[in-house]
Amino acid sequence: MEEILEKSFRTIQQVPLKIERKVPGNLDWNWRLNAIVGARGTGKTTLLKQRAKILKDAGEEVLYISLDDLYFTENNLIDLVRTFEQSGGKFLFIDEVHKYPGWARELKNLYDSYPQLIVVFSGSSILEIFRQEVDLSRRALVYELPGLSFREYLAFGEYATLPTFKLEDILSSHRDLAASILSQIKPLQYFPLYLERGYYPFFVEPYRDYQLTLTQVAHLVVESDLQHMEGYDPSYSRKLLQLLRIISGSSPFKPNISKLGERIGISRKTLLNYLGYLEKARLISLMHLPETSISVLQKPEKVFLNNSNLYYALNPQNISIGSIRETFFQNQLSVIAEVHLHRKTDFQVTYKEKSHVFEIGGRGKDSSQIKDISQAFLALDGLEIGNGNRIPLWLFGFLY
């Protein structure tokens, strides 16, 4: 126990508090059991350590642990927490929960046995928290931590500290909002950098090779994290990496499932299942039309990589600016709204029960594709300030 307490103390003390991210969904840190999931590399561990440090500095009894620690090869979580709680512990932060066999059952037991203990745990976005052998649905509140928005990138890079905007305000008052930002910073100076290497918080580490790290992240997800998914066969890892490479070289990728399965040597059913795994791991986004019944075996109309940075890491020789723009838009909007494809334009976005249609392009794109559609807008790259239904693409990076 002393070993873990000492490691927790050192870990908490070393984490910087300069910028603390907010989790979309207004996370209540005082709820007894919170789950924070998200793609590898988006900052879940840092978020837990920062919160632990804030509480520790306020005089609270706090413990931070990672369940991939070698300590847990010979010791179990329940015994550790019992000792911690008996010594006055109140806040428990658990990282990498999916690396611990039977984690859901033990968390349920902790919740039921220690009503004064507040637990926050994190794990991969592939975690199927409510499909475990133990039902946590009545106990845990689940939040997803996405990668950095363009607004957060500007803050992390110490370029500018700017507010978030609601989608309805962007649609109705984008000229005023853009003007307020332009009075402080030139967003188009930084937007291309963000699209290439700004979605993951580790971009701030000066000695890290960003794209090499991101490639390694993709490999770790496929070769390690996905093994925790029921039905996943690790022998297919190389085929999934090949699939990611194929997707990253298309603009955008419109899958012919049968031909694609033949190309990489996977049956149609298995390929559709594995596309679902990659989406849950936040490496890709499967896009459908809004009226389509979405199921595991439903072929997606289009496949994007999850965020624009992945294109530059996985296939930098075949960058399609069209794919980059569309990927950015659906990635940022999907945090706060439902995003589907549209038959005549690019996307249909449903937000607060209202639907809006968007065509994505460069600043020279005209309105011909949306002229007969109500609530339709152009989201345009290279545009500093818009007019009417022509909105700068970068402004959609201020939604969270």
Side-chain angles (χ1 to χ4, degrees):
M1 179 67 181
E2 290 184 4
E3 170 192 346
I4 285 292
L5 286 172
E6 175 63 24
K7 186 176 291 187
S8 172
F9 177 79
R10 292 198 312 269
T11 300
I12 291 172
Q13 288 305 113
Q14 292 170 359
V15 70
L17 289 178
K18 193 169 187 179
I19 298 178
E20 184 184 11
R21 295 190 67 195
K22 292 184 178 180
V23 182
N26 297 318
L27 187 151
D28 180 0
W29 289 104
N30 291 313
W31 182 255
R32 288 181 54 205
L33 188 61
N34 280 318
I36 301 175
V37 299
R40 184 184 281 268
T42 54
K44 302 183 298 298
T45 296
T46 299
L47 184 69
L48 260 61
K49 291 177 181 178
Q50 286 180 327
R51 192 62 188 177
K53 184 174 183 178
I54 290 170
L55 291 167
K56 187 73 172 176
D57 291 347
E60 300 286 359
E61 289 298 320
V62 175
L63 179 63
Y64 166 85
I65 56 177
S66 179
L67 292 186
D68 63 354
D69 193 297
L70 289 176
Y71 175 88
F72 293 103
T73 60
E74 297 181 344
N75 301 274
N76 65 53
L77 178 61
I78 290 290
D79 289 343
L80 173 69
V81 175
R82 181 185 301 116
T83 304
F84 173 64
E85 196 273 343
Q86 289 173 351
S87 63
K90 183 179 179 181
F91 294 93
L92 175 63
F93 295 87
I94 306 175
D95 207 2
E96 298 284 2
V97 70
H98 60 289
K99 301 291 182 69
Y100 185 87
W103 60 270
R105 183 173 297 280
E106 296 211 15
L107 286 179
K108 174 186 177 297
N109 290 337
L110 292 179
Y111 183 93
D112 294 341
S113 302
Y114 303 105
Q116 303 305 313
L117 189 66
I118 293 176
V119 179
V120 184
F121 66 95
S122 79
S124 168
S125 54
I126 65 173
L127 274 182
E128 296 181 304
I129 290 173
F130 302 141
R131 294 183 59 186
Q132 300 295 317
E133 74 277 11
V134 174
D135 182 18
L136 292 177
S137 62
R138 292 181 295 106
R139 298 170 174 84
L141 296 179
V142 184
Y143 302 86
E144 179 161 358
L145 183 68
L148 299 179
S149 66
F150 179 46
R151 183 195 68 85
E152 290 178 307
Y153 165 78
L154 293 173
F156 269 65
E158 300 183 1
Y159 306 123
T161 301
L162 298 162
T164 58
F165 301 132
K166 295 178 181 179
L167 179 60
E168 59 264 37
D169 293 334
I170 291 177
L171 299 184
S172 63
S173 306
H174 59 88
R175 280 186 63 84
D176 293 337
L177 298 180
S180 69
I181 293 171
L182 286 165
S183 68
Q184 303 176 62
I185 195 173
K186 292 288 188 181
L188 293 182
Q189 178 181 349
Y190 301 98
F191 190 52
L193 299 174
Y194 167 79
L195 294 176
E196 182 175 345
R197 45 182 298 119
Y199 185 69
Y200 297 87
F202 53 76
F203 86 89
V204 299
E205 300 174 29
Y207 303 109
R208 186 192 285 262
D209 186 319
Y210 184 89
Q211 290 177 351
L212 176 61
T213 300
L214 190 47
T215 302
Q216 292 170 342
V217 164
H219 278 253
L220 281 169
V221 170
V222 171
E223 296 168 353
S224 176
D225 293 354
L226 286 179
Q227 293 188 34
H228 299 278
M229 293 291 291
E230 183 179 355
Y232 180 73
D233 185 347
S235 67
Y236 284 139
S237 294
R238 288 187 61 83
K239 295 181 184 297
L240 290 191
L241 292 171
Q242 180 186 0
L243 177 59
L244 287 173
R245 175 86 174 175
I246 293 170
I247 294 170
S248 64
S250 304
S251 53
F253 183 62
K254 299 179 180 180
N256 182 317
I257 297 298
S258 297
K259 288 185 178 179
L260 183 58
E262 291 176 5
R263 179 174 174 181
I264 63 177
I266 297 180
S267 71
R268 184 183 190 279
K269 181 178 179 180
T270 300
L271 177 57
L272 287 170
N273 280 328
Y274 281 25
L275 284 171
Y277 294 158
L278 291 174
E279 182 175 50
K280 287 178 179 178
R282 300 300 182 255
L283 287 176
I284 65 173
S285 295
L286 305 178
M287 302 301 299
H288 302 265
L289 293 166
E291 64 270 21
T292 303
S293 174
I294 301 174
S295 68
V296 173
L297 298 181
Q298 176 66 46
K299 181 181 81 70
E301 296 293 329
K302 290 183 181 180
V303 182
F304 296 96
L305 294 184
N306 175 266
N307 62 83
S308 61
N309 291 187
L310 287 167
Y311 287 92
Y312 290 95
L314 299 178
N315 206 337
Q317 269 64 42
N318 289 291
I319 298 297
S320 162
I321 189 59
S323 285
I324 297 297
R325 292 164 176 164
E326 291 181 26
T327 297
F328 165 78
F329 182 86
Q330 66 85 21
N331 170 271
Q332 301 286 285
L333 269 292
S334 64
V335 174
I336 58 99
E338 292 183 19
V339 183
H340 294 93
L341 298 177
H342 189 271
R343 290 192 182 279
K344 294 183 178 180
T345 65
D346 289 321
F347 297 108
Q348 176 177 311
V349 175
T350 302
Y351 176 71
K352 294 183 178 180
E353 300 182 352
K354 293 183 180 180
S355 289
H356 310 280
V357 173
F358 295 89
E359 179 71 16
I360 318 300
R363 63 178 299 158
K365 193 173 189 65
D366 63 34
S367 303
S368 58
Q369 285 184 263
I370 63 170
K371 63 179 182 178
D372 297 322
I373 305 174
S374 62
Q375 288 299 306
F377 302 87
L378 295 172
L380 303 178
D381 192 15
L383 191 64
E384 196 171 61
I385 191 165
N387 186 48
N389 65 354
R390 298 169 61 84
I391 304 175
L393 180 63
W394 60 263
L395 194 53
F396 292 97
F398 283 73
L399 290 166
Y400 69 91

